Amino acid sequence: MQNTLSEDPLGSSPAGLETNAMAEVAVSLPVFGTYTYRVPESLQAATSVGHRVLVPFGRKTATGWIVGFPRAAPAVEIKEILDFPDDAPLFPPQMVAFFRWLAEYYLYPLGQVIEAALPGGWKARESVSYALPADVSGPSPREDLQRRILAEVETGKLTREALSRRLGQPVSKEVLQGLVRDGRLERRRRIRAGGMRPKTVRHVRFVRGAGDGEKLSKARKRVLRVVEAAGEVSLPELGRRVPGAARMVRAMETTGHVALLDKEVFRDPFGEPVDIESAPHPTEDQQSVIDAVCGVLGKGFQTYLLTGVTGSGKTEVYLRLAKAAVGLGHAVLVLVPEIALISQMERRFRSRFGDAVAVLHSGLASGERFDQWRRICSGDVSIAVGARSAVFAPFGRLGLIIVDEEHDGSYKQEGGFRYQARDVAVVRAKLDGAVALLGSATPSVQSYHNVLSGKFRELKLPHRIEKRPLASIRIVDLRQHRDARGADRWMTPTLHRAIEERLERKEQVLLFLNRRGFAPFPICSSCGDALRCRHCDISLTYHKAMGALKCHYCGFSLPAGAACPSCGGTEIRMLGMGTEKVADTLTGMFPSAQTVRMDRDAIARKGAVVRILKQLRNREIDILVGTQMVAKGHDFPGITLVGVLCADQSLHFPDFRSGERTFQLLAQVAGRAGRGDRPGQVILQTYTPDHFSIRTARQQDFRAFFREEIGFRKALDYPPFSRMALLRITGKRADRTEAFARDTGNRCDELTGGSQSFARSIQRMGPIEAPLPRIANRFRWQILLKGSGPSVLHRFLRTLLLAEDSPSPPAGVSITWDVDPYALL
C-alpha cells in the first residue's frame, strides 16, 4: 500500500494490464489522498475503474473504489487487493474527475465522497471470532474467567459479544488477546462486503419432451397447463393462479416436466401506472426557450437560468428538452428539491417516456435505490428524476441537467458530506460538456448575479399558461389583531370569510405555516419556565397526535402529561401554533370540510406523500394545511385561495439570507393559487407589512427584491461578493469546546498575520457561541470565514485544517467545516 496524490490517467479497460498491474484506490475512510494496491493476477481480466474492492488498510480491511491505474510502480512494497465483491463497476470512469473535484472543493476525503454518492451500505463489515487452535501449546489458564471462556469456545467459534452473553458478564478484549498470545485461542476474521444484492425471483419453465404428464395428479396437470401456456412464469404468479403450486413444482422438476431457475428482477419504486399522454402545443414563450437550448445541446457546456412567473409552464419545457437530448443519444438528469415534488415530476416524465425513467431519492427502500442505480449504470434508462443525491446518478454520457426550483435550500446537504447540489450540478455539466438548466420563479441571488456577470444566460417565461392572471395578493396587518385571543390571533376575519366563500363554491384552500407540531412553546403556569429539551438549548414542541413533547433537533421526547422539570408543576400551557393545531382548529370551524395536513410528521410513513397529492388532485381535500413542502412546485388547479398565516417567521433569523428566504417562500406559496380556470387570491398576514421582502413578494417582483437585497450584500461583503466557510467546533464539555474554538481563532490570526495574501483576502468572524449553543449534549461554537475568492479561501482552509502542523482538537471535541454554508444556526 502506498499513498499517492497523483492525477494518473484513467485506465478504464482491463485490456493491457500487466502481471504486476496496480490500481489507484480511494478508501472509504477519513483519509485524504489515494492508495496504490497490486491487482491479483487472477482478477486482472475483470478489473476496471469504478469497481468496489476490499483492501488491507493497517490492521483493518477497508472498502475502496478503483479510480485509476498508475503508470509507474512506487519504490516501496505494496499490498494486494483482497477481493472484488461485485461483478460490475458501480459508476462509470467519466465520474472520477467529478468525484476528484468534489473532494478538492469541499475538502472531503475522496473515498468518502464516493461512498456518499452511492446508494448506501457499501462498506465492508468485519467480524472477529475466537476458536480453539489446532495445536494448543500455551500454558493452562489460571483465572476462572479464562477457563470458562475456553470451555464455551470448545462448542465452536464465538464472537466477544456472544461470549459475554453466554457467561453473563462482560468479556474484555484484553482477556481474549491474552489467551491468543498464550496460544490458547485463535483469532479469526471474517470480512463481509456490505451493500445490497440483486433481487431474484424463482421462475418455472416448461420442459418439452418430458412426457405428456398423464401420470400426474389433477392439480399437477393444472400446473403443467399453466406453465406450458406461458412458456415461463414466476412462482408467485403461478401460486396465485394455482394454489399450492410452490410445493408441486419441486417434485415436477424431479420428474423433468418443468425447470426452476432464479431470474433477477428490479424492485418497483413507482406507485400506480401512468397513462402515456400526448404533449400539448407549446406557447410562444415556451417555444422560444426550447429553441434556444436545443440549439446548443450536444455542442458543449452552457448554463441557463430559466426565470418566469409561477404557473408559466417550466415543466413542459423540461419535458421537451429532455426528449431532444435523448434523441441525440444523451442522458438527462432532473433534480427537484423535495421528495414531495418528485411524485409529480416523476409522473409527468413517465407519462412521456414510460420505462425509460428512473427515480432516485432517500424515500425509497434500500433495495429500490440499489436497483434504480443499477438500471442507470447499465444504460437501461436515459432519464433520472430525483432529489439532491440524484446529482451523483451514474450516467456515462450526460447531455442535460435540469435543476428545478434552483433557489431552494433543500439542495444543500447539511450533514456528513456537505455539498450544494445545484452548484455541483453545474460543475458536473461542465465536466461532461452538457447543458445545465436552472429553473425558478424566484431565483437565488447568487444565480441571478451570475446572469448579470455573464456566467449564466437568462431565459424567460413571463406569462402564465393560457395568459391566466397571477393571483391577487392582499396584505393583512397582524398588528391590528394583537389583542385577539386563541385562534382569532391567526384566523383573522378576512381570512375566515375568504375560506367560507371558497368552500361554498367547492374550491380548494391552501393554508401555509412553516412550523409543524401542535404548540411550539409549552410553558409552566407555576414558574413560567419553558419545557426545554434535556440535551439541546431549545424548547420542546407539543405533538397532540403523538401525545408527546418532542425536540425537533435530537428527537428527545416527554409524555404530554409530564411535570415541569424546574418546579414539578403540572399545569402546562401549550402556547404558539403549528400545523397540527391549525388543522385541528379548522376541523372544528369547518366540520363539513375535509382538512388534511402535509408536513414532515404527516408524511413520515411510506406512500403518504403520494396518497395526499392524489387526494388533492382528485378534489377529495378541501383545505390543505402545510409547511414549506407545499409551497413549491405543485400544480393543483382546484386551489383558488392561499392563506399565509404568519409571513414573518423566517424573516428575523440571525442569517444574512433571511430576507431572501422569506421573499422566495412567500412568492412561491402565492403561486399555488389560481393555476386553473378560476382566478386565485392570496391573503398574506404579517406583522411587518412594510419590509421590502414582504412588499416585493406581494408584487411577485423578483427583480425589485434583487435590487434592494444586492445593495445590502455588497455593503456587508456577503456572497455573491465573497466566498464563505463555516467552522463548527462541538464538544461534550463547554470549557474545552470554548478553549479550542478560541485557539482556532488565534490560529487564524497567526495565518493572516504571516501572509499578506491572507491578510488582504480573508476575514474572520468569531469565534462565538452558535445561535443554538447546545444540541444533543454537545456545546457548539463557530467561526465564519470570508474570502475574496474561492482559491484563496480554499488555500487558507487547507493551511488551517489539513497541514501537518494543524492543531488537533482535544478529547471529546471535534471540528467540521462547511464550504459555502447555507444555514448559519
Side-chain angles (χ1 to χ4, degrees), residues 463-477:
H463 304 107
R464 276 189 161 186
I465 296 296
E466 299 179 1
K467 305 296 183 180
R468 293 173 186 141
L470 290 170
S472 62
I473 301 181
R474 179 175 180 180
I475 298 287
V476 175
D477 190 346

Side-chain angles (χ1 to χ4, degrees), residues 187-509:
R187 188 174 183 267
R188 297 179 181 178
R189 293 192 308 163
R190 183 182 179 187
I191 309 298
R192 294 183 179 178
M196 295 295 301
R197 293 288 181 266
K199 181 181 179 180
T200 59
V201 173
R202 180 66 54 90
H203 280 65
V204 185
R205 178 179 294 170
F206 180 71
V207 178
R208 298 192 180 278
D212 56 11
E214 287 298 325
K215 296 182 180 181
L216 297 178
S217 65
K218 290 183 179 180
R220 293 184 182 181
K221 287 180 180 178
R222 185 182 174 193
V223 169
L224 195 62
R225 286 195 299 271
V226 172
V227 177
E228 182 179 12
E232 181 179 301
V233 63
S234 71
L235 192 55
E237 174 62 22
L238 181 60
R240 285 190 287 269
R241 297 169 67 175
V242 184
R247 298 191 307 274
M248 292 183 274
V249 293
R250 296 187 183 92
M252 294 173 69
E253 181 187 34
T254 304
T255 61
H257 288 90
V258 299
L260 301 181
L261 64 156
D262 291 326
K263 298 184 69 174
E264 286 189 16
V265 296
F266 287 117
R267 304 162 180 90
D268 185 8
F270 301 113
E272 58 191 29
V274 176
D275 295 331
I276 299 297
E277 67 173 27
S278 57
H281 190 73
T283 66
E284 185 177 335
D285 293 337
Q286 289 173 326
Q287 190 62 56
S288 175
V289 171
I290 293 165
D291 291 343
V293 179
C294 283
V296 299
L297 279 175
K299 298 179 182 179
F301 167 65
Q302 179 61 57
T303 302
Y304 290 100
L305 177 64
L306 177 58
T307 65
V309 297
T310 55
S312 56
K314 288 187 289 294
T315 303
E316 182 59 33
V317 171
Y318 301 156
L319 290 163
R320 294 268 180 166
L321 293 177
K323 182 179 180 181
V326 171
L328 293 172
H330 296 292
V332 178
L333 180 57
V334 184
L335 301 184
V336 293
E338 295 269 8
I339 293 177
L341 286 173
I342 290 178
S343 173
Q344 177 174 281
M345 189 69 76
E346 162 244 303
R347 286 179 62 86
R348 293 293 303 277
F349 271 82
R350 286 172 61 209
S351 72
R352 299 284 180 91
F353 300 98
D355 292 336
V357 179
V359 61
L360 282 174
H361 59 81
S362 60
L364 299 179
S366 55
E368 293 170 345
R369 292 188 70 194
F370 172 73
D371 284 352
Q372 293 297 296
W373 186 273
R374 283 199 303 142
R375 291 180 70 206
I376 297 169
C377 207
S378 64
D380 290 346
V381 297
S382 52
I383 299 171
V385 179
R388 62 174 174 261
S389 61
V391 75
F392 306 118
F395 285 118
R397 194 182 180 197
L398 267 172
L400 176 65
I401 302 179
I402 296 167
V403 184
D404 191 30
E405 310 294 352
E406 65 84 24
H407 66 276
D408 200 281
S410 298
Y411 283 121
K412 174 67 176 180
Q413 170 66 32
E414 292 293 352
F417 174 38
R418 296 175 171 88
Y419 62 93
Q420 221 295 349
R422 176 201 61 211
D423 300 344
V424 167
V426 173
V427 171
R428 185 168 186 190
K430 183 176 182 179
L431 293 173
D432 282 30
V435 172
L437 179 64
L438 316 182
S440 176
T442 56
S444 64
V445 169
Q446 180 76 47
S447 292
Y448 197 70
H449 183 264
N450 283 338
V451 168
L452 299 181
S453 63
K455 293 181 180 178
F456 297 173
R457 296 182 185 177
E458 185 180 13
L459 300 169
K460 299 178 182 179
L461 290 174
H463 304 107
R464 276 189 161 186
I465 296 296
E466 299 179 1
K467 305 296 183 180
R468 293 173 186 141
L470 290 170
S472 62
I473 301 181
R474 179 175 180 180
I475 298 287
V476 175
D477 190 346
L478 288 177
R479 292 174 299 183
Q480 306 301 319
H481 303 272
R482 289 181 188 272
D483 296 331
R485 292 289 179 264
D488 291 340
R489 292 178 64 89
W490 55 268
M491 180 56 77
T492 61
T494 302
L495 180 58
H496 192 281
R497 283 194 303 270
I499 294 174
E500 283 184 327
E501 291 171 3
R502 294 319 188 279
L503 294 179
E504 289 173 1
R505 298 204 298 254
K506 305 298 182 183
E507 296 170 3
Q508 293 174 298
V509 176

Side-chain angles (χ1 to χ4, degrees), residues 16-94:
L17 286 186
E18 302 173 355
T19 304
N20 62 346
M22 296 163 295
E24 182 188 3
V25 176
V27 293
S28 181
L29 292 170
V31 293
F32 290 85
T34 55
Y35 294 82
T36 301
Y37 288 88
R38 193 175 307 282
V39 181
E41 188 173 357
S42 60
L43 298 174
Q44 289 177 14
T47 301
S48 63
V49 167
H51 255 120
R52 179 170 56 130
V53 294
L54 300 182
V55 294
F57 196 88
R59 299 176 62 183
K60 298 182 178 180
T61 298
T63 301
W65 291 272
I66 294 179
V67 294
F69 297 102
R71 289 177 177 173
V76 298
E77 183 67 25
I78 61 175
K79 296 181 180 180
E80 192 172 76
I81 293 173
L82 299 176
D83 192 16
F84 286 68
D86 312 300
D87 295 331
L90 298 176
F91 53 86
Q94 297 93 319

